Amino acid sequence: VGLYQAYAGVTAYAAVENWERGIRTLNEAVLKDPQNPGIHYVLGILHLGNNDLPSAEAEYQLLVQYRGDSKLISHLSSAISDYRYRRRR
C-alpha cells in the first residue's frame, strides 16, 4: 500500500464510519504483508475512529518500525495527539 492508496483506504472506510469492517479487512491484509507500513497507517487511523487509542499507538509503532513514509508517520502522530487532546476536554 503506497501513500495515495493509504489515504484512499482511510477515506473509504471513514466516509461511512465503518471502522470495524475496515479493521477486519486490513487485519487480513496484514497477514499477507505484515511489514507493509501503509497498512499499519490505515489501521492506526481506523483504530482512532473506533476509539481504540492503544491499538492506534501500536500501529504507529509498527509504521515507524517498518519505515513508513514520513508523511504517513507525521499524519498518524498528529491524529493520535489530536485524539488525546479531544479526550482530555
Side-chain angles (χ1 to χ4, degrees), residues 29-85:
V30 165
L31 294 175
K32 295 176 185 172
D33 192 2
Q35 295 184 6
N36 185 317
I39 295 171
H40 294 292
Y41 164 77
V42 176
L43 275 168
I45 295 295
L46 293 174
H47 283 301
L48 287 177
N50 203 37
N51 294 311
D52 185 354
L53 180 60
S55 293
E57 291 171 328
E59 295 300 338
Y60 173 79
Q61 293 302 319
L62 291 168
L63 175 61
V64 171
Q65 178 182 338
Y66 297 132
R67 303 179 194 269
D69 183 277
S70 62
K71 291 179 184 178
L72 295 180
I73 291 171
S74 177
H75 185 262
L76 184 52
S77 176
S78 294
I80 289 171
S81 294
D82 290 346
Y83 180 88
R84 286 185 187 133
Y85 176 76

